[in-house]
Amino acid sequence: MLDVRRMQVLHAVVAESSITAAARRLGYTPSAISQQIATLEREAGLPLLERTARGVRPTEAGRVLTAYAADIGARVDAAVTAMADLCAGRSGRVAVRYFASVGAALVAPAVAALHRDHPGIRVDLRLTDPDDPLPEVREGRADLALIIRTGASPTIDGVRLIYLRPDSYRVVLPEGHPLAAHTDLELADLAEEPWIGSAWPGPCMDAIFAVCDTAGFTPRFAVQAEDYVTAQAFVAAGLGISLIPGMGLGDHPQPGVVVRDLRNPEAVRGVYAAVRTSAEPHHPALTAMLNALGAVASPLVTRRRPAAPAARPSTPAPRQPGSPPTARRRTPRPTE
């Protein structure tokens, strides 16, 4: 077996054409360099150097081995640079799992900022089920997953949850609906309305069931749309009203609907980043991605909503967002 360190000693001797000069460059004594070369010659089974009037020069075997030593040295230097880039967050890969409604509002601008500030980091993005992407994170198949919780513990079976922002639900009504005359609505105003389901049973629906339970009624679902675009289309068709989170609506709701704020009580879902508890601080690319998500999420928390007409005088002041929602979890009920 050829010793890589002795090959680097040979490379230095050949580059200097002198054992003495190589010893001075490497910080060894000439006798130590000679011993290293003699041992390497025994490992190679051939002489590697021959003496000349001006010093030493490589034999054919010495030239071949020196070329490999140069290549190994370059690879080691590249490895050192790669490790330095990883440690500094200049390179690396981070696998992110996200759900549809958070993609445009949060993920896309965060990835754009990451590419601007850390162009060497590669992001593996994949759309996933918002209900339970945690196994991918726990098993190391993903570094980060964006999830919804209406209330969450800091850790779940080796996965740490990092709160990013609240996402308030808003009331979506057909154009011309009598309740559209108000700026915002109390939940009790919607108790007798037919509802359009806007999400699969799970965390996104939990917030709706929990807040309706607090208000003392169970929503009566006329249609279960299970996505926000279709839910708005059914509302526009006059089949009912719906509660849709702000990130699901975006800045431009569909034609045929009006959007109003919900008050007393407010329905909120929490957006969290899930990471393995063992991942940080050993994953600088992940840290950079989390920082980018946090930077995008902070302005979204305080961004003002568009004004709507005809404010209700008795409406209480809106709750200031910024803390995790605390609504209790509830098992989804069958639609009617």
Side-chain angles (χ1 to χ4, degrees):
M1 178 72 70
L2 296 174
D3 186 277
V4 173
R5 289 170 298 179
R6 295 189 183 104
M7 289 175 64
Q8 296 306 310
V9 170
L10 172 66
H11 183 272
V13 171
V14 171
E16 299 289 345
S17 298
S18 166
I19 289 177
T20 301
R24 188 163 50 247
R25 170 179 159 185
L26 297 176
Y28 295 126
T29 63
S31 62
I33 295 295
S34 296
Q35 290 174 8
Q36 293 290 317
I37 295 299
T39 301
L40 185 61
E41 287 179 328
R42 287 196 297 271
E43 293 173 346
L46 291 169
L48 302 174
L49 295 173
E50 57 181 332
R51 294 190 177 276
T52 68
R54 296 182 178 181
V56 294
R57 66 185 177 193
T59 64
E60 179 62 22
R63 282 192 292 270
V64 170
L65 205 54
T66 299
Y68 280 107
D71 184 58
I72 291 171
R75 299 290 289 176
V76 170
D77 289 343
V80 170
T81 300
M83 292 300 101
D85 287 342
L86 281 172
C87 289
R90 292 188 294 268
S91 68
R93 171 186 173 276
V94 57
V96 177
R97 303 295 176 258
Y98 71 100
F99 55 96
S101 63
V102 82
L106 196 57
V107 177
V111 170
L114 185 75
H115 284 168
R116 182 187 65 242
D117 298 335
H118 304 274
I121 294 179
R122 184 165 61 90
V123 183
D124 171 18
L125 290 170
R126 190 174 303 172
L127 193 65
T128 190
D129 183 350
D131 292 348
D132 194 21
L134 296 184
E136 282 198 79
V137 175
R138 190 179 298 114
E139 296 163 12
R141 290 179 283 125
D143 300 305
L144 181 155
L146 293 170
I147 65 170
I148 289 296
R149 287 292 184 272
T150 53
S153 303
T155 59
I156 301 176
D157 297 332
V159 176
R160 184 164 66 95
L161 302 184
I162 302 166
Y163 183 68
L164 293 176
R165 57 157 296 183
D167 190 17
S168 296
Y169 283 76
R170 305 187 72 195
V171 185
V172 182
L173 306 163
E175 284 184 346
H177 193 286
L179 293 176
H182 302 291
T183 301
D184 49 47
L185 301 169
E186 295 184 2
L187 194 60
D189 297 331
L190 310 176
E192 300 304 319
E193 297 288 332
W195 285 51
I196 308 297
S198 60
W200 291 92
C204 295
M205 288 298 292
D206 284 350
I208 294 176
F209 281 117
V211 77
C212 289
D213 190 42
T214 300
F217 73 94
T218 300
R220 178 174 58 87
F221 288 99
V223 180
Q224 192 69 35
E226 297 175 345
D227 72 78
Y228 301 134
V229 173
T230 306
Q232 291 182 69
F234 283 133
V235 172
L239 299 184
I241 63 95
S242 189
L243 290 190
I244 296 179
M247 286 196 296
L249 280 170
D251 293 328
H252 304 288
Q254 289 189 21
V257 305
V258 293
V259 179
R260 298 293 180 259
D261 292 343
L262 179 65
R263 298 285 183 262
N264 192 29
E266 185 179 17
V268 182
R269 66 179 189 172
V271 182
Y272 290 79
V275 300
R276 287 188 306 283
T277 53
S278 60
E280 294 183 288
H282 310 296
H283 197 328
L286 173 59
T287 300
M289 185 71 213
L290 286 170
N291 290 340
L293 286 168
V296 172
S298 295
L300 290 174
V301 171
T302 56
R303 186 176 64 184
R304 297 185 61 180
R305 295 171 178 160
R312 177 182 305 192
S314 61
T315 300
R319 178 182 63 83
Q320 292 298 320
S323 58
T326 55
R328 63 186 178 87
R329 302 289 302 277
R330 182 184 180 90
T331 302
R333 304 176 183 178
T335 58
E336 299 181 23

